[in-house]
Amino acid sequence: SVINAAVVEYAALVAARLNTASLEYRKAGGGMSDNLQKVLENLGLALNDCHSIEALVDSFEGSYCKSKMFELFGVLEVVAHANIGTVFYRLNKVRDALASFESAKEVLEKRSEGFENIFESPDESEVGMNGTGINGHDEMHPHDDNRFPPRTYLLLVLRLNLSRVSLRVNNPDGAEELCKLIAQEASSSSLQRKCFRNLPPRNFGFHRSNSFSITSSALATASAAYQHDIDRRSKWLCSVAEHYLAGLVREARGEPNDYKSAVNHYNRLLSLARVKLDHRHPHICALLERRGAVLFEQQKLQCSMLSYLACLKILEHQQATGSNVFNKADLARVLYGIARVLHDKEDYLDALHTYQRALACQRDLAAGSSRPTLDVITTLCNISRVHHLMGDIDAALVANQEVLQLATILVCGKMDHPFLINRLKIEGNILVEAGRVEDAMRTFIEAARRCCDNGRDRMIN
């Protein structure tokens, strides 16, 4: 019928928009990018199409066919919401990402019964004696293209994303609870047995032609491969929840025992990843970076350095091969981590060189902004400190003056800001050590002038 044809066209249009968005997302590479706006536009159009189709589906006469179409577009709507949340997360719009993931979860829960029954065959009341449905279609021979993500897989992905966002909004307890839910489903084996193996045909109202046996066979093979891929991805995502996210939760809590537990989690996932993935895979790079950060907090500096250097080697290899998975922000972050380790190891010359490499990347990233970034200011503070420790007073003062200039812009000219006063006190102390007492006095007077009524206490602290 005309309605069926329109629904098929809508389904193809939504799928095309989602696939286009996926390609644009891969093309955008890692980090924040203007290209991600194109991804959002395509996903927004796909979501609008999913909403528009509901009125058309309501005009279906058969309740079975109507239900299946409604649930089909429910799957597509969940995928669109989840992908929008992922893009928002990449754009550092964490609250918007959280709202998108919650919307996807709401759709999934609202239509949970239909999602569970989406694989079942039609009732006898809606199928004629000859296997013909009430709309005159052959319901006993469903289309072979079953490549739609099962509800349990969608729920797994959403819980993982919600857990990661919960950590970003400083809610480690919420993240841990979601990880426990994932572990419970994985331990019950429902994830593997119920949803990813031996799936029955899914009846979405599309019908195959038995005259195209070669095409049908190819679709059956593709569907089996898709189910195997979903199974493989699900096992990996369960391991990510069990170890990577659990490690991030322990890191967020920040107690000594938590750091020890986090390292154990990262080591276990690294062991698994090195078997399943290439040794230069981005996932391994991310795990090495997190492990290096935790080992630094434990002051296991040599082990931290080895982990960071292995991470840097993978990152530089990815960039040398033309991959856009990592960008300059990732390089700056890893270089800064290495510099901190060298700084604490009192290897000041190498620390200074590495800080300067990180600073160059951070300046490039901030070049398009009218405001300085906190990363640039933090790195300059450390550079000033290293120059001071090396006895290069003039270089330390130059770096500190730039810190004061950039920080003044960042705090919108609020001259009595505690950070600015503290940096003035540091500059005064450096000048005292250099024997420039008059300059030091002027600096201390300026710091005192900027203090408020409780300035005496703030100058002493």
Side-chain angles (χ1 to χ4, degrees):
S1 68
V2 176
I3 295 177
N4 279 346
V7 170
V8 171
E9 288 183 6
Y10 258 111
L13 179 61
V14 173
R17 292 195 194 282
L18 291 174
N19 287 332
T20 302
S22 177
L23 292 172
E24 292 286 352
Y25 183 83
R26 291 175 181 273
K27 183 180 176 182
M32 290 187 287
S33 168
D34 292 338
N35 292 331
L36 291 176
Q37 293 299 328
K38 289 184 179 179
V39 181
L40 275 180
E41 289 174 9
N42 279 313
L43 291 173
L45 291 171
L47 192 59
N48 290 336
D49 289 337
C50 287
H51 293 157
S52 300
I53 195 62
E54 292 183 3
L56 186 60
V57 170
D58 282 339
S59 61
F60 272 61
E61 295 179 0
S63 60
Y64 168 74
C65 195
K66 181 188 296 186
S67 173
K68 296 307 175 184
M69 289 298 99
F70 188 69
E71 298 310 328
L72 165 61
F73 284 96
V75 171
L76 297 175
E77 184 178 350
V78 170
V79 172
H81 275 302
N83 289 348
I84 289 171
T86 302
V87 176
F88 277 137
Y89 186 87
R90 284 272 303 276
L91 291 170
N92 208 26
K93 298 179 179 180
V94 182
R95 297 290 177 182
D96 291 333
L98 180 60
S100 293
F101 291 136
E102 290 288 359
S103 296
K105 187 167 177 281
E106 182 181 346
V107 173
L108 202 60
E109 290 173 346
K110 182 174 67 175
R111 305 184 183 183
S112 59
E113 183 178 351
F115 273 90
E116 292 295 346
N117 298 327
I118 202 167
F119 313 117
E120 297 178 0
S121 299
D123 295 335
E124 292 181 2
S125 61
E126 297 196 21
V127 180
M129 294 297 291
N130 61 351
T132 303
I134 56 178
N135 288 329
H137 297 300
D138 184 4
E139 298 285 0
M140 301 303 291
H141 299 286
H143 195 283
D144 282 327
D145 195 350
N146 298 325
R147 289 170 290 179
F148 289 89
R151 176 185 180 274
T152 314
Y153 179 74
L154 292 173
L155 188 59
L156 168 61
V157 171
L158 287 174
R159 283 174 174 168
L160 278 169
N161 285 322
L162 285 168
S163 177
R164 190 68 183 92
V165 174
S166 295
L167 285 166
R168 285 289 300 273
V169 296
N170 198 25
N171 182 18
D173 293 336
E176 186 174 36
E177 189 62 32
L178 288 164
C179 289
K180 286 179 180 178
L181 288 173
I182 293 171
Q184 287 171 5
E185 293 214 11
S187 63
S188 67
S189 299
S190 62
L191 208 59
Q192 287 79 24
R193 289 199 297 266
K194 283 187 180 180
C195 294
F196 308 124
R197 296 178 184 172
N198 302 320
L199 285 179
R202 307 180 192 180
N203 294 302
F204 287 123
F206 303 116
H207 312 282
R208 79 180 190 184
S209 171
N210 291 327
S211 62
F212 296 100
S213 58
I214 296 177
T215 303
S216 296
S217 176
L219 284 171
T221 302
S223 297
Y226 179 77
Q227 292 167 22
H228 174 75
D229 186 58
I230 288 287
D231 188 7
R232 178 183 60 82
R233 288 173 181 268
S234 300
K235 291 176 181 177
W236 170 253
L237 292 177
C238 286
S239 298
V240 169
E242 183 181 0
H243 298 302
Y244 181 69
L245 289 175
L248 292 177
V249 169
R250 299 295 183 275
E251 270 194 79
R253 290 191 171 137
E255 297 295 331
N257 288 336
D258 291 320
Y259 287 136
K260 183 178 179 180
S261 177
V263 170
N264 290 336
H265 279 298
Y266 294 146
N267 283 336
R268 290 178 66 181
L269 190 56
L270 269 170
S271 299
L272 178 64
R274 282 173 170 147
V275 173
K276 294 184 175 293
L277 306 172
D278 181 78
H279 281 235
R280 291 173 173 174
H281 196 279
H283 292 343
I284 293 178
C285 184
L287 284 166
L288 288 168
E289 182 187 354
R290 293 300 348 127
R291 188 178 69 174
V294 177
L295 289 168
F296 176 80
E297 295 296 336
Q298 292 180 300
Q299 284 297 288
K300 295 180 179 180
L301 301 179
Q302 187 61 31
C303 293
S304 176
M305 175 61 71
L306 291 173
S307 195
Y308 270 130
L309 288 175
C311 171
L312 181 63
K313 186 176 181 180
I314 296 174
L315 196 153
E316 290 178 335
H317 168 77
Q318 291 283 343
Q319 292 184 332
T321 56
S323 171
N324 62 356
V325 173
F326 297 109
N327 62 4
K328 197 163 287 189
D330 300 309
L331 179 60
R333 190 177 60 251
V334 173
L335 287 171
Y336 179 78
I338 293 171
R340 283 201 310 163
V341 177
L342 291 167
H343 190 159
D344 278 24
K345 288 180 69 177
E346 299 182 1
D347 191 349
Y348 297 131
L349 189 61
D350 287 340
L352 180 61
H353 173 68
T354 311
Y355 275 136
Q356 288 170 340
R357 283 187 65 191
L359 181 63
C361 294
Q362 291 166 350
R363 288 190 193 278
D364 288 344
L365 291 167
S369 174
S370 59
R371 287 169 58 82
T373 65
L374 189 59
D375 289 339
V376 170
I377 293 171
T378 303
T379 303
L380 280 169
C381 287
N382 288 332
I383 288 174
S384 177
R385 177 63 178 160
V386 171
H387 278 307
H388 183 201
L389 291 169
M390 293 173 66
D392 192 346
I393 301 299
D394 291 337
L397 290 171
V398 169
N400 194 65
Q401 279 297 318
E402 188 174 0
V403 169
L404 285 166
Q405 292 171 6
L406 296 177
T408 302
I409 298 171
L410 192 63
V411 300
C412 302
K414 188 179 178 182
M415 306 303 287
D416 61 345
H417 193 281
F419 179 79
L420 297 177
I421 295 170
N422 182 60
R423 295 311 301 183
L424 284 171
K425 292 193 308 185
I426 290 172
E427 182 176 321
N429 291 330
I430 294 173
L431 289 168
V432 169
E433 289 184 28
R436 295 163 57 178
V437 180
E438 291 184 1
D439 291 336
M441 285 298 298
R442 282 195 292 269
T443 303
F444 285 133
I445 290 170
E446 174 63 19
R449 186 182 64 79
R450 295 187 182 190
C451 292
C452 301
D453 295 336
N454 59 343
R456 179 176 297 179
D457 293 336
R458 292 168 68 181
M459 282 296 294
I460 292 173
N461 291 336

